Amino acid sequence: MDLSEKELKEAFVSNLNGTTLQEVAVGSFLTPLCILNRALILILHHRAKGRLPLPFPRISHLLLDFSALVLPLVLSCTVLSDVLLQVVLSFTFVLSCALCRICRPACRRTTLSAFLDRTVHFKQVPFVTVFRVMVNVQTAISILAVDFRVFPRRYAKTEMYGTGVMDFGVGAFVLANGLVCPEARGRNVPASKMKHISKQLLSVWPLVVLGAARLVFVKTSSYQEHVTEYGVHWNFFFTLAIVRVLTSMLLVVVPARKSWLLCLLICGVYQYTLETTGLKAFIMHNEDRGKDFLHANKEGLFSIAGYVAIYMAGVQIGCYVMQPRSRVRDWLRAVFNLLMATLLLFAALCTCQTFVEPVSRRLANLPFCLWSVAQSLLFLSCIALVDLIVLFSQAASGCSFVPSAWSSKSDGRKKRDEMERLCLLQAVSRNQLLFFLLSNVLTGLTNSLVSTLSCGGSFSVCVLLTYMFINSAAVYVLHLCGMTIKCW
């Protein structure tokens, strides 16, 4: 790739203004619908067992999961992006008809109160796992898709202000890490606080190494750079590492269940500083990049404050979601509370956008933090609600288990273990960092081999599907072999 093509690619991802809050919200409904679609396919197959055998189960389950969970997401951000609302509405109608077909016999013999009093069984909260996996999957799709013309420019990261789909992806990725951190899961901080902090410092070395490797690759090749994203030398790997270390230090002092106070304090102080000092103008303008490290990487360094606040919000949500619950009724109440929190946060966001300033990923300002948390909560709540629908469908059909979903029966452990072993969601969950790393490596490789700006729509989609299938198959094979790649 020569210099002129590099400059063309940099211009292609620069000076963008994003899309509307409504379009991003509509996109959040597609993933839960995909999860429901996959579950209903498995339930209908269960009802047709004996008449509809599933040959080569390992390959069949991979192809089913890829077709149901990944393929629609690739199409929705490429060739179907202009009719996304119609896709969501049509998908909802079809799945509603399938649900009625499955659940109608059970409605006559099962009362609502009996279903709400059922006890659910799980090792991990299923919808939390699915949320984290699907954020990772959508991130993997976007980081390559953004380089193709078939990917709408309004979905890409914004330059100064605005709400792009990829902007949400960054915030959701940070919140997802906070959601399942040890503090959110109720693990006690060791008596030696310094030892705990030292352990956290050591635990982020893979992120530091990955960030350094990306930096070396970008600087020694003709790969495109978007310096207003994080800076000249900074990247998202460094941000993730610093955020994890800083939040670990803060959570040594402040209990995890009070992390919402830290979130509000950090957001408030940072936004006040932006408004009352020259910091906002300093970050937004591109002069003096070569003066020193601070000037060169001001976006990445100062946005850490916003990402720490988002991480703390994730910790608070994790503390609430991880509370012990066993009955369907309790989980339904929890989902309702998450939806109410979502509405409050969106109301606060609209107020901030009216009286303070618009959302800015570049600043990671207060509106960006509010939007990231609100949109993530909406996404999480929809997945949780779908999980409850799947649970009812299982009860109605007599299918006792769908992978990565709740189960209301304690028997059939061997069958459930086998189904989890064939589940793509569990495969990605098992090696999430590897999946993220592999996505970045293949993105760079694809850009080196393919002139992405010259590709037509159909060819671009084929490249994206091939890329995602390689990512998915790699972690799927590792999962089948029982291997977790973790060296820290």
Side-chain angles (χ1 to χ4, degrees):
M1 183 174 64
D2 56 28
L3 184 61
S4 62
E5 187 176 353
K6 175 186 176 184
E7 291 175 338
L8 190 61
K9 285 190 173 183
E10 288 172 354
F12 190 60
V13 295
S14 302
N15 302 312
L16 303 172
N17 299 314
T19 184
T20 62
L21 292 172
Q22 293 81 358
E23 186 171 17
V24 180
V26 167
S28 296
F29 295 118
L30 182 60
T31 297
L33 289 174
C34 292
I35 295 165
L36 179 58
N37 177 49
R38 166 189 178 256
L40 295 184
I41 290 173
L42 288 172
I43 289 172
L44 288 171
H45 175 265
H46 170 82
R47 293 182 66 171
K49 63 183 178 179
R51 292 178 288 126
L52 186 61
L54 197 62
F56 308 108
R58 294 180 179 182
I59 298 175
S60 298
H61 277 276
L62 173 61
L63 293 176
L64 170 62
D65 283 357
F66 185 83
S67 300
L69 302 175
V70 180
L71 174 61
L73 298 181
V74 172
L75 297 179
S76 70
C77 67
T78 52
V79 293
L80 297 180
S81 58
D82 291 333
V83 290
L84 183 61
L85 178 59
Q86 292 90 322
V87 169
V88 169
L89 292 176
S90 302
F91 208 4
T92 302
F93 175 75
V94 172
L95 292 178
S96 298
C97 293
L99 270 173
C100 291
R101 179 78 175 87
I102 291 173
C103 298
R104 186 181 299 170
C107 291
R108 291 193 291 265
R109 64 175 183 268
T110 304
T111 64
L112 181 61
S113 60
F115 171 70
L116 294 177
D117 287 329
R118 280 176 177 263
T119 301
V120 291
H121 302 271
F122 52 87
K123 289 182 179 179
Q124 299 173 330
V125 181
F127 66 84
V128 172
T129 299
V130 174
F131 169 80
R132 296 182 68 237
V133 167
M134 296 313 295
V135 166
N136 207 335
V137 168
Q138 290 177 312
T139 300
I141 294 171
S142 298
I143 60 175
L144 178 59
V146 70
D147 296 321
F148 290 92
R149 293 191 183 278
V150 72
F151 187 83
R153 293 300 89 197
R154 66 185 185 276
Y155 285 6
K157 289 180 181 176
T158 55
E159 188 72 20
M160 289 185 150
Y161 293 99
T163 50
V165 173
M166 291 187 71
D167 294 326
F168 162 62
V170 175
F173 200 96
V174 173
L175 185 139
N177 286 342
L179 192 63
V180 295
C181 72
E183 295 86 352
R185 286 180 287 166
R187 294 186 182 179
N188 295 325
V189 175
S192 174
K193 295 181 179 179
M194 288 304 300
K195 185 177 180 180
H196 173 69
I197 293 173
S198 299
K199 183 179 179 181
Q200 297 308 313
L201 282 169
L202 290 173
S203 70
V204 300
W205 74 261
L207 292 171
V208 176
V209 170
L210 293 174
R214 176 178 172 78
L215 175 61
V216 170
F217 170 75
V218 169
K219 296 301 180 183
T220 57
S221 68
S222 53
Y223 196 76
Q224 65 268 19
E225 294 183 79
H226 187 196
V227 295
T228 58
E229 188 175 347
Y230 295 105
V232 177
H233 312 103
W234 205 259
N235 58 57
F236 191 50
F237 289 109
F238 292 142
T239 295
L240 290 175
I242 296 297
V243 166
R244 181 65 189 122
V245 172
L246 289 178
T247 51
S248 296
M249 292 178 179
L250 291 171
L251 290 170
V252 166
V253 180
V254 178
R257 294 189 180 279
K258 300 293 183 181
S259 55
W260 66 273
L261 291 172
L262 276 176
C263 175
L264 290 178
L265 179 63
I266 293 168
C267 281
V269 171
Y270 180 51
Q271 187 63 43
Y272 179 78
T273 305
L274 289 173
E275 297 295 330
T276 58
T277 66
L279 180 60
K280 185 188 298 185
F282 172 71
I283 297 173
M284 285 298 196
H285 297 295
N286 295 324
E287 295 85 1
D288 300 324
R289 284 281 180 188
K291 187 176 181 180
D292 54 38
F293 185 80
L294 179 63
H295 283 76
N297 303 286
K298 50 193 176 181
E299 294 90 352
L301 293 172
F302 286 103
S303 64
I304 287 173
Y307 290 121
V308 168
I310 293 171
Y311 188 97
M312 286 298 182
V315 174
Q316 186 66 56
I317 297 167
C319 287
Y320 177 71
V321 170
M322 303 293 182
Q323 289 179 14
R325 299 179 183 89
S326 58
R327 295 187 305 165
V328 173
R329 187 187 305 275
D330 299 327
W331 282 109
L332 185 62
R333 186 179 298 113
V335 173
F336 177 79
N337 291 337
L338 291 177
L339 287 170
M340 290 299 101
T342 302
L343 293 177
L344 288 175
L345 286 169
F346 271 117
L349 170 62
C350 293
T351 302
C352 280
Q353 292 215 109
T354 302
F355 296 104
V356 183
E357 66 175 339
V359 171
S360 173
R361 174 204 49 80
R362 187 168 172 179
L363 295 172
N365 58 359
L366 174 60
F368 174 74
C369 296
L370 286 171
W371 177 57
S372 296
V373 178
Q375 188 64 43
S376 297
L377 270 180
L378 176 63
F379 191 37
L380 181 67
S381 303
C382 289
I383 292 174
L385 190 58
V386 160
D387 230 357
L388 289 171
I389 295 172
V390 171
L391 179 61
F392 183 76
S393 301
Q394 289 181 83
S397 64
C399 177
S400 61
F401 184 74
V402 171
S404 296
W406 273 312
S407 174
S408 60
K409 292 185 178 181
S410 58
D411 55 337
R413 181 73 261 172
K414 183 178 179 181
K415 175 65 174 176
R416 289 199 298 274
D417 287 344
E418 178 64 19
M419 291 292 286
E420 292 285 11
R421 199 170 70 88
L422 300 175
C423 176
L424 179 59
L425 292 174
Q426 291 298 324
V428 177
S429 178
R430 184 173 195 152
N431 284 293
Q432 289 219 46
L433 183 58
L434 177 66
F435 182 83
F436 185 53
L437 170 61
L438 184 59
S439 302
N440 279 268
V441 171
L442 290 180
T443 295
L445 182 62
T446 304
N447 271 277
S448 301
L449 298 175
V450 179
S451 179
T452 55
L453 296 184
S454 304
C455 296
S458 299
F459 183 75
S460 300
V461 172
C462 290
V463 171
L464 286 168
L465 289 174
T466 302
Y467 151 82
M468 285 304 300
F469 188 79
I470 293 172
N471 285 342
S472 302
V475 294
Y476 187 75
V477 170
L478 289 174
H479 185 55
L480 289 176
C481 298
M483 295 175 61
T484 302
I485 308 300
K486 188 173 183 178
C487 50
W488 61 94

